[in-house]
Amino acid sequence: MATVPEIFGSMVFNDRKMEERLPHATYKALKRTVQNGEPLDLSVANSVANAMKEWAVEMGCTHYTHWFQPMTGITAEKHDSFIYPASDGQVIMEFSGKELIKGEPDASSFPSGGIRATFEARGYTTWDPTSPAFIRDKTLYIPTAFCSYTGEVLDKKTPLLRSMEKLSSVAVDVLHILGKTDVTRVTTTVGPEQEYFLIDKEMYDKRPDLIYTGRTLFGASAPKGQELADHYFGSIKTRVAAFMADLDEELWKLGVMAKTKHNEVAPSQHELAPIFATSNIATDHNELTMEVMKKTAEKHGLVCLLHEKPFAGVNGSGKHNNWSISTNTGENLLDPGKCPEDNLQFQLFLAAIVKAVHEYQDLLRLTVASAGNDHRLGANEAPPAIISMYLGDDLGALVDSIISGTEYHSAGKTNMLTGVDVLPDFRKDTSDRNRTSPFAFTGNKFEFRALGSSLNIGCPNYMLNTMVADELAQFRDELAGAEDLDAAVRSLVKRTLTEHQNIIFNGDNYSDEWVAEAERRGLCNYRSLPEAMAHYVDQKNIDLFTRNGIVSKQEMYARYEIELETYSKQLHIEALTMIDMAEKNITPAVIEFVRSLSDAVFVKKSLGAYSVYAETSLIEELSEKLEAFVKKTDELKTAVDNAAKINDDLELAMYYRKTVFELMNELRAIGDAMETKTSAKYWPYPSYGDILFGV
Ligand code: ADP
Ligand code: MG
């Protein structure tokens, strides 16, 4: 059997293969593009294309595809074969630099938020040489960016790449002012921890709600949920273990550094964490991870659910976006070092992030908003809808001392005494974790925890990069030419932390007191996508993105429309699915069951039975519920019909949230109550117990 180092990256046209297969000058030129962002010329592209094709064909590939991340939220691909007519009526396998650099998928069916009318179908995909090509299913995948004929950005990747460039150039300026003149490039790194559910395919196939919407729209709680906490980190079941082993191997072949896997809190819930990578590669890899999870599950007769809230009553799934910044000289700029009190460079970067998160908390909130994630944020499981930062005891004390001008006392690392001779004592972390904070400092990185499990991490990361770059640019301008640099940095840090300390919160984010306290502090609390998204196009946000050249005002409006439209469409589909399930299966099933009870009453009475209490009381209860259920179904139908009268995107999304969503919840409550009273023989769908404990 091949070892892990042997299979790792075997399906990737990685640095080693490029060095082996490219002419030295081409390899060097490509490296300069990848490492320093230098533009690439066609002769280099031709040479790279040829080497890629040779390798791909040797590996059995017949096709290539430009792989991109349109605003649908999933990846897209269009496959072309390498064949090229030869003079003798035969074909040869060809791939030119032009084909590598530019693709032209028909863009008309991808959401563009009105930027591009359907008749202007042209869209271009452009090779992203910073993310390596790879092979899946006998096809060479080329990571690309996607834009319209007129140059508007239509994807999630371009803004991310731009934001990385921006942050790099500004951070380098700042570091140069601080005397670190050897730094020429700064990169953002991301390690996304991915949660998911794994259920039996047979159960899945019987649930139209899972098939159409990714979540259960009906379903009474099972007698057991997650209350015993016996699933978290529990030993992994054989079938799941086989899936995970297969998944790891597939991901390793694709160069994804899958590292940690474990069971999560909810039954049937699991997590996978990779080793962190540069933001854009981490984004591509996370998209790949989600796709490979789904495909691998199929092979095992399982279905991988990436919806944020597949089951009511147990935890939903999120994604932790671990984020940091480091230099090409190998320094992590978010590492406080041994003496953070003297580390002005660290303090400066920390201050920029504190200010960014405070000023653009609305952006961080809305970048994680989705119909699915609305079920988590604000509920008592995920970080709340209020964005705040957790710094931990040590850094918290440092910030306090800077603000108040008092001396800083580190909590200091202490020895953990295990009290058992054979167990080694070890150094304890200086602060415990705060699992409730949406944006927590964790040693040498920040962990943005509010992301939904299915989200493309490109968006939160380009927002984060841009806001931090913008604050650093202000710092740079203030510090440039300072006579006493030390004093200038100290006063800038002190002023910034003082002005923005309201975003720092070290307590329990789930408590009601925090909601009230956050309101006093003037922090936003947007509970749903429409509420949050309304602020995307606030002037300060448009200014931020246009000032930094990340996306234009028109592109922002396009994104705004797409998000709102998608939200309304998703709720629309959910409502229709519920109505369908209610009318075609649930109502008839309950009627059948009631009829069988009535038959029983009839038979028993004719035999002169002493009591028919059990049957009649059940008939009464179910009949009453059924009547309410049918009426509620009709109400929901009318509400859905009325949505057609609303034209404004924001108003429509608000309507779906306030009216349709509420009715769906009410309908579900009645349906679930009927489920608990109806014979399992008659109930048309697998129960929560069947699904959650079925693997
Ligand atoms: P946990 O949060 O579960 O304790 P870790 O803190 O070890 O786990 O790491 C979580 C994730 O953070 C991993 O994906 C890891 O690769 C990533 N990570 C670690 N260091 C960095 C960094 N400098 N930049 C970005 N991500 C990082
Ligand atoms: Mg974590």
Side-chain angles (χ1 to χ4, degrees):
M1 233 185 70
T3 64
V4 177
E6 278 163 2
I7 63 167
F8 189 83
S10 57
M11 293 295 177
V12 185
F13 196 64
N14 54 17
D15 195 59
R16 193 199 291 176
K17 291 192 191 78
M18 286 192 238
E19 189 165 16
E20 267 167 30
R21 288 167 174 266
L22 290 174
H24 190 63
T26 310
Y27 173 71
K28 284 279 173 211
L30 187 61
K31 278 289 261 211
R32 281 197 298 277
T33 299
V34 174
Q35 284 172 350
N36 313 331
E38 285 180 26
L40 195 124
D41 69 61
L42 193 60
S43 66
V44 172
N46 275 327
S47 179
V48 176
N50 192 54
M52 266 185 192
K53 179 211 64 184
E54 303 263 290
W55 170 69
V57 170
E58 278 169 35
M59 299 288 289
C61 287
T62 50
H63 286 70
Y64 70 91
T65 180
H66 275 203
W67 185 63
F68 57 105
Q69 300 172 20
M71 294 194 275
T72 48
I74 49 174
T75 62
E77 50 196 73
K78 172 184 149 220
H79 297 211
D80 280 298
S81 71
F82 289 119
I83 65 166
Y84 192 82
S87 52
D88 56 357
Q90 294 294 104
V91 293
I92 51 169
M93 299 300 254
E94 275 283 274
F95 186 47
S96 69
K98 251 199 188 140
E99 288 168 310
L100 168 63
I101 291 181
K102 192 183 88 179
E104 225 179 298
D106 178 347
S108 58
S109 299
F110 292 105
S112 69
I115 281 188
R116 192 182 27 64
T118 334
F119 54 88
E120 297 161 341
R122 254 176 225 272
Y124 293 118
T125 49
T126 322
W127 176 36
D128 168 16
T130 61
S131 180
F134 55 90
I135 293 174
R136 280 182 75 193
D137 304 327
K138 297 198 185 317
T139 300
L140 175 68
Y141 278 68
I142 299 154
T144 60
F146 183 44
C147 64
S148 75
Y149 179 64
T150 39
E152 281 92 6
V153 175
L154 296 177
D155 71 348
K156 308 200 169 191
K157 179 129 195 205
T158 312
L160 176 64
L161 291 170
R162 288 180 180 164
S163 74
M164 291 167 67
E165 285 291 326
K166 187 74 200 181
L167 183 59
S168 175
S169 76
V170 179
V172 166
D173 289 349
V174 169
L175 290 167
H176 284 189
I177 291 175
L178 296 177
K180 293 251 165 85
T181 47
D182 54 336
V183 176
T184 55
R185 207 168 167 77
V186 163
T187 42
T188 49
T189 48
V190 172
E193 300 165 65
Q194 176 74 46
E195 291 180 344
Y196 60 97
F197 278 85
L198 212 52
I199 63 168
D200 195 290
K201 174 90 164 57
E202 257 184 62
M203 300 294 158
Y204 175 87
D205 285 340
K206 291 182 185 149
R207 299 279 324 203
D209 44 3
L210 285 176
I211 293 172
Y212 296 133
T213 73
R215 74 179 181 103
T216 50
L217 300 169
F218 290 104
S221 295
K224 178 178 163 168
Q226 61 191 40
E227 51 285 278
L228 294 179
D230 51 354
H231 193 254
Y232 191 53
F233 281 28
S235 92
I236 300 171
K237 289 185 185 155
T238 321
R239 227 174 133 193
V240 176
F243 159 85
M244 286 179 170
D246 218 7
L247 176 64
D248 276 341
E249 189 171 326
E250 283 307 309
L251 291 175
W252 290 335
K253 283 186 198 162
L254 291 166
V256 178
M257 295 203 204
K259 170 87 174 160
T260 310
K261 52 188 179 186
H262 60 79
N263 284 349
E264 260 301 330
V265 174
S268 284
Q269 194 186 29
H270 315 279
E271 179 182 298
L272 181 143
I275 294 176
F276 67 94
T278 312
S279 304
N280 68 319
I281 293 179
T283 302
D284 287 358
H285 280 179
N286 184 245
E287 290 296 304
L288 264 182
T289 300
M290 292 192 284
E291 285 171 27
V292 175
M293 278 176 167
K294 287 188 176 166
K295 291 229 158 140
T296 307
E298 269 173 43
K299 283 197 245 163
H300 291 258
L302 299 164
V303 174
C304 170
L305 303 176
L306 290 170
H307 192 284
E308 285 74 17
K309 192 74 181 174
F311 304 100
V314 296
N315 276 5
S317 300
K319 187 138 60 187
H320 289 177
N321 191 82
N322 295 275
W323 174 89
S324 192
I325 327 175
S326 53
T327 66
N328 63 317
T329 52
E331 186 182 2
N332 180 345
L333 295 170
L334 299 188
D335 188 346
K338 286 212 166 61
C339 304
E341 65 276 27
D342 301 323
N343 188 344
L344 289 184
Q345 177 189 305
F346 170 75
Q347 290 178 19
L348 195 62
F349 279 88
L350 178 69
I353 297 169
V354 170
K355 181 165 186 269
V357 175
H358 191 215
E359 288 181 342
Y360 298 104
Q361 48 181 297
D362 51 346
L363 284 180
L364 289 176
R365 170 63 185 90
L366 67 88
T367 190
V368 298
S370 69
N373 215 19
D374 278 359
H375 295 279
R376 300 173 63 239
L377 302 179
N380 267 2
E381 53 169 288
I386 305 164
I387 300 288
S388 68
M389 286 171 99
Y390 170 76
L391 296 181
D393 295 343
D394 246 12
L395 273 196
L398 174 65
V399 168
D400 289 344
S401 80
I402 292 172
I403 292 173
S404 62
T406 53
E407 209 182 321
Y408 163 71
H409 295 288
S410 160
K413 288 216 173 192
T414 49
N415 271 337
M416 179 84 181
L417 304 175
T418 55
V420 180
D421 287 345
V422 295
L423 294 181
D425 293 335
F426 56 87
R427 303 280 273 174
K428 209 159 67 157
D429 288 315
T430 50
S431 65
D432 198 3
R433 290 163 170 268
N434 181 325
R435 287 276 174 205
T436 69
S437 175
F439 203 91
F441 185 74
T442 47
N444 59 4
K445 62 185 191 296
F446 275 97
E447 188 169 344
F448 185 22
R449 300 204 183 105
L451 285 71
S453 47
S454 67
L455 190 72
N456 181 313
I457 62 171
C459 290
N461 283 295
Y462 88 70
M463 300 228 172
L464 201 48
N465 294 346
T466 307
M467 59 184 78
V468 172
D470 195 75
E471 307 297 1
L472 284 173
Q474 294 169 33
F475 288 8
R476 171 194 63 197
D477 298 346
E478 182 171 335
L479 295 176
E483 268 172 31
D484 182 345
L485 186 64
D486 239 49
V489 173
R490 279 183 203 282
S491 97
L492 174 57
V493 167
K494 177 170 179 168
R495 192 186 74 225
T496 307
L497 292 176
T498 309
E499 282 170 7
H500 299 284
Q501 58 182 310
N502 269 349
I503 196 71
I504 300 169
F505 177 62
N506 288 341
D508 179 2
N509 281 258
Y510 295 161
S511 67
D512 294 335
E513 295 82 63
W514 171 232
V515 176
E517 163 72 13
E519 198 179 332
R520 274 194 296 279
R521 292 189 188 190
L523 302 182
C524 333
N525 184 3
Y526 304 134
R527 295 186 167 276
S528 66
L529 179 137
E531 281 173 79
M533 202 49 71
H535 295 278
Y536 182 43
V537 287
D538 283 357
Q539 194 58 44
K540 79 168 177 54
N541 296 335
I542 294 178
D543 289 346
L544 173 74
F545 289 110
T546 51
R547 183 164 64 227
N548 288 285
I550 308 297
V551 280
S552 69
K553 182 174 172 183
Q554 195 197 7
E555 286 157 6
M556 288 183 70
Y557 269 96
R559 273 154 207 269
Y560 166 79
E561 267 175 47
I562 291 169
E563 290 292 337
L564 291 172
E565 265 177 28
T566 306
Y567 177 85
S568 296
K569 282 180 190 161
Q570 282 174 343
L571 264 69
H572 186 77
I573 294 169
E574 289 188 350
L576 293 186
T577 305
M578 276 192 109
I579 293 166
D580 196 65
M581 291 172 78
E583 293 190 328
K584 293 218 180 90
N585 287 302
I586 296 178
T587 296
V590 176
I591 290 174
E592 280 291 302
F593 180 50
V594 168
R595 207 231 315 257
S596 80
L597 291 169
S598 312
D599 287 350
V601 171
F602 182 77
V603 171
K604 276 172 96 175
K605 275 193 173 160
S606 68
L607 294 173
Y610 155 74
S611 166
V612 287
Y613 172 78
E615 292 83 355
T616 49
S617 63
L618 202 48
I619 290 172
E620 211 157 290
E621 190 180 345
L622 276 173
S623 302
E624 199 181 302
K625 288 199 162 71
L626 188 61
E627 191 178 316
F629 187 72
V630 169
K631 284 184 179 157
K632 195 59 81 182
T633 309
D634 288 340
E635 260 182 75
L636 180 58
K637 275 164 89 170
T638 311
V640 171
D641 288 344
N642 287 340
K645 296 178 194 147
I646 303 170
N647 287 319
D648 180 73
D649 288 323
L650 182 59
E651 202 187 315
L652 183 64
M654 292 280 192
Y655 173 79
Y656 270 104
R657 171 71 189 186
K658 295 222 164 83
T659 306
V660 177
F661 184 69
E662 284 312 316
L663 285 170
M664 284 166 57
N665 286 340
E666 288 164 23
L667 181 64
R668 177 184 182 141
I670 310 169
D672 292 356
M674 292 199 302
E675 184 184 346
T676 59
K677 292 284 169 188
T678 302
S679 156
K681 241 171 67 189
Y682 285 81
W683 196 257
Y685 302 115
S687 70
Y688 266 29
D690 298 334
I691 307 172
L692 286 169
F693 297 92
V695 174

